[in-house]
Every structure is written in C-alpha cells, then in structure tokens.
Amino acid sequence: MSASLLIRSALAAGAALLAGCAAVAPDGGFAAVADSARARSGAEAKLVRSEADERAVADTVRSLLAQALGQDAAVRIALLNHPGLQASYWEVGIAQADLAQAARLQNPGFGFKRTAGGGAVEIERTLTLSLVQALTLPLSQRLEHARFEAAQLRVGLAIERHALETRRAWVEAVAARQGLDYARRVNAAAEASAALSGRMRRSGNASALDSAREQLFYAEAAAGVMRAEQQVVASRERLARLLGLWGEQANYTLPERLPDLPAAPFDASETERLAVERRLDVQAARQEAAALAASLGLTRSTRFINVLDLGLERKSETGEPRARGYEVSLELPLFDWGDARVVRAEGVYMQSLRRVAETAINARSEARERYLAYRNSWDLARHYRDEVLPLRKKISSEVLLRYNGMLASPFELLVDAREQAGAVNAAIDALKDFWLQEAELQLALGGPAAPHQEEHAP
C-alpha cells in the first residue's frame, strides 16, 4: 500500500469513526443494571445524581419507615439509601466513560517551527495523527465494551450480595425481637414461680432445695432477658448500617414475629440450571474471558508495529516556493518482535477459560449445598411446628390437669413450664434458620427460587 493511499484510508476511517462516536449516557449506563436488579429481586436500585434524587430517596425511605419494616421494604431502602452501595454504582459510569473514550480518535498534534538567520526566515508546520490508534480503534472499542459489561455485572453482583446481607440482618433482627418478647414472658412466669416457691418455703410446704431451684430459674430467666436485649440492639444496629439509616431513622419498627413457614419448599430440580444461567459471577467470568479474547486480538494486531505516526508537513522559506509533504515514523522490530506479548496474552486467555469452568462448577456445587441446607432447615422448622410444639402443648395441658386434680405438685408444673420455654425458643431458632437459608439460596441461584413475592405474609 502506498503512503498516500495509507493516509487517505486512515483519514477516511477517522472521519467515519468520528461521525459515530459513542456518547456518554446521562445515567452512565446504570439503567440496565437497575432493570436487572428489579427483575431479579423486585427492588429498585437508583443512582443518586442530584439533590432532587436525594430528596426523592429521602421521601421513599420516610414512607417505608412509617410502618413496621418488612423484609422486602428493607431491601428496597438498602438499594436506594446505602452510601457504600451508591458509591459502587458509579463504577458503571466510569466504565461507560472509558467505553465512550475508546470510540474516539486521539486529538491530532500540531507543530510549528520558525527559524531565522542570514536574512532568511524558515517556517515549518506539521500535523500528526496516530495511525495505529486509528486502525485499531474498532478492536479497542470492542475491548472496552466487554469491560463495560463486566463492570455492570460486578455492580449487579454487589447489589445481590448487599440485598442478601440485608435480608439476613432483617431476619436476625426480627427473630431477636421475637426472642426478647418470649424471654420477657418466661421471666415474668419465673418471677411468679419464685415468689410462689418462697411462700411455700416459709409455710413449710416446700423444701429449701425446691425453693433454690425456682430462684435459680428466675435468675437465669432474668439473665436470658439481658442477653436477648443485647442481641436486639446488635441486630438492629447491623440492619441500620446496611440500610444506611442514622439519627431518628434508626428508631424504625419491626414486625413482632417472623413470617410463617411456607406450605411447601422449593423444588430442587432446577437449582443447578438456574445457578449457571442467572448467577452474575458466572456471567462476569464469561465477560472477562471475552474481554481477554479481544485483548489477544489487539495484541496480535500490534505485535510488529508498536509506534506508527502519520505527519502532514508544510514548509515555507523566504525567497523559496512553499513545500508540502508527509512524514511516517515507526518503531522497527529489530529486537522485540512482540512474540512474548502474544504468548503472555494467550496464557492469560487460557487461564480465564479455566476460571470460567471453575466458577460454573462452584456455582453448581453451591446451589446444591444451599438447597440441601434450605430443605433441611424447612424440615426442621416444620418438625418443631407440627410435632414438638403440639406435643409440648399436650404435655403442659396434661400436667395442668393433674395439678388441678391434686395429682401433681406445683414444682412439676414449674418444671414443665421450663421445658416448654426451651421448646419454644428452639422452634424460633429453627424458623429463623430457615429464613436465613432461604436468603442464602437466593444468592446461590442468582435470584428468588420461586416467582418473587412482594412481601412475606406476617
């Protein structure tokens, strides 16, 4: 190819590319991430860009906190209001700006030289354009596009993980409140039992041993209330941090109890397929491999020509006709033929393919593991609901009947109350564990296991 034809081709390509330059989107490309988050979790993620956006978010948070905070409402607040998550949203805009920049030619360089001497003045003007950047621009743009999509996936994954942590924190906080309410009821009953035991001891109807046992139970019940109160404070503060709440907002209210156990668990047949299809870490690994493939193509294209600049030159001298011409400069591949860069790029690309396979295998395994934990926790919570608690209630009724018929002592009644308290606490823990495992399963599958419900029934 002649030098003049090369110049014309480069200039024509540059003009066409300039006509189709990618513009920077006002939202930085975050709309696609927000749409994906809405489809996957039912919650809206919004990039706060102005004071008007901040006021809108504040109004939404205020309205959601005006009533008992449900799990889905907590996730919605977290995605809108958490400052750290908002900071990660801007990663998409940064990557989108890099993509727009990659679609633009470098500005040409202009040089001016004036030399005077012996009554003569010599003036040189040069205009320089990078041919390598112009010729490899389409490939560079594809590379940045892959990186932009990878940034979108990373931010989407951050949203999913934050939503998971918020759901877990909400379950912990509601379970802590439910546990505190029951601990206070047990403490009140223990106080009454201790008082009764004291009166019986003074009247000679109870031994010192029995009275001491009731006093110990009361003391332990009081300690249980203190532990439950500390757990409530810790769980509420953790949830407040994940929601980005402070000041008066931290005085939010929660439901009195956890949602009921679902009638049936999610079917296991789709878990592995859903994990591989929907998980964003798998998609991100694929995008990274695609980006490296594009990078490998760019490396092969430029392995011999590291620097190639085109310069248009115009020269004028006193008493002499004006001269015009062009200058092409390139780096000669005498010592570095670029083969090491190509080999390195191929190695990194093959490494990324193995990472994709590893990520997919791990996703399948985690989906199976999380489902088994989810199913076992459902079975355990159902066992307590359908077997243990009804039996404890039946035993308590029988003990009370025997006591009313003077066939059982007051201390048998008190012992039964202690055992019933232990069973109820275990049932609350089992239900809490189920909802925690349900949240973990959502992350392992890349979204809700079943069609999204706006809010769990209280």
Side-chain angles (χ1 to χ4, degrees), residues 335-389:
F335 306 108
D336 183 5
W337 288 81
D339 54 336
R341 293 195 306 275
V342 173
V343 171
R344 183 184 187 280
E346 289 177 344
V348 172
Y349 174 65
M350 295 304 297
Q351 188 181 57
S352 71
L353 293 182
R354 299 299 179 265
R355 298 297 184 207
V356 173
E358 178 190 25
T359 304
I361 291 173
N362 291 342
R364 291 175 178 273
S365 175
E366 290 173 8
R368 294 192 302 269
E369 178 185 5
R370 292 304 179 190
Y371 178 80
L372 290 175
Y374 160 85
R375 181 56 193 266
N376 288 338
S377 63
W378 186 88
D379 290 338
L380 181 61
R382 185 187 62 171
H383 178 71
Y384 270 98
R385 184 194 66 185
D386 297 345
E387 301 292 338
V388 176
L389 291 184

Side-chain angles (χ1 to χ4, degrees), residues 72 75 170 172 195 229 264 330 438:
D72 290 337
V75 173
W170 182 89
E172 294 279 4
E229 288 174 341
L330 69 154
E438 193 265 351

Side-chain angles (χ1 to χ4, degrees), residues 76-133:
R76 186 178 177 189
I77 291 176
L79 299 193
L80 292 174
N81 194 57
H82 190 266
L85 199 59
Q86 279 287 333
S88 69
Y89 293 168
W90 288 95
E91 293 182 15
V92 179
I94 294 171
Q96 203 269 347
D98 291 340
L99 173 59
Q101 187 65 43
R104 300 174 182 179
L105 287 173
Q106 294 178 359
N107 292 326
F110 175 74
F112 178 84
K113 180 179 180 182
R114 182 181 184 276
T115 305
V121 177
E122 181 177 337
I123 298 176
E124 294 184 11
R125 306 172 187 84
T126 59
L127 183 67
T128 307
L129 177 68
S130 174
L131 284 181
V132 168
Q133 197 264 342

Side-chain angles (χ1 to χ4, degrees), residues 21-231:
C21 275
V24 180
D27 64 351
F30 185 73
V33 179
D35 291 342
S36 175
R38 188 182 304 109
R40 298 165 72 88
S41 67
E44 179 183 7
K46 182 178 181 180
L47 181 65
V48 178
R49 300 174 54 86
S50 63
E51 293 183 0
D53 291 339
E54 291 181 357
R55 288 193 296 270
V57 169
D59 291 341
T60 300
V61 172
R62 190 180 304 110
S63 65
L64 292 174
L65 294 179
Q67 52 191 345
L69 184 64
Q71 191 179 61
D72 290 337
V75 173
R76 186 178 177 189
I77 291 176
L79 299 193
L80 292 174
N81 194 57
H82 190 266
L85 199 59
Q86 279 287 333
S88 69
Y89 293 168
W90 288 95
E91 293 182 15
V92 179
I94 294 171
Q96 203 269 347
D98 291 340
L99 173 59
Q101 187 65 43
R104 300 174 182 179
L105 287 173
Q106 294 178 359
N107 292 326
F110 175 74
F112 178 84
K113 180 179 180 182
R114 182 181 184 276
T115 305
V121 177
E122 181 177 337
I123 298 176
E124 294 184 11
R125 306 172 187 84
T126 59
L127 183 67
T128 307
L129 177 68
S130 174
L131 284 181
V132 168
Q133 197 264 342
L135 295 174
T136 61
L137 194 61
L139 192 55
S140 298
Q141 189 175 2
R142 290 196 297 271
L143 175 61
E144 289 299 332
H145 189 270
R147 289 174 177 170
F148 168 64
E149 291 181 340
Q152 288 181 311
L153 291 172
R154 285 196 304 272
V155 173
L157 183 58
I159 291 174
E160 286 195 352
R161 293 189 182 280
H162 196 87
L164 166 68
E165 291 302 316
T166 301
R167 292 185 182 278
R168 288 180 57 89
W170 182 89
V171 170
E172 294 279 4
V174 175
R177 176 182 176 178
Q178 187 174 350
L180 175 59
D181 291 342
Y182 190 72
R184 286 172 175 168
R185 291 198 296 269
V186 171
N187 184 59
E191 183 180 11
S193 299
L196 174 62
S197 176
R199 290 193 299 268
M200 294 178 64
R201 173 74 179 89
R202 288 189 294 271
S203 64
N205 294 322
S207 66
L209 177 60
D210 290 335
S211 180
R213 284 173 175 168
E214 295 309 316
Q215 292 294 332
L216 176 60
F217 176 56
Y218 175 42
E220 291 177 344
V225 170
M226 288 185 281
R227 285 194 296 268
E229 288 174 341
Q230 191 277 333
Q231 184 63 33

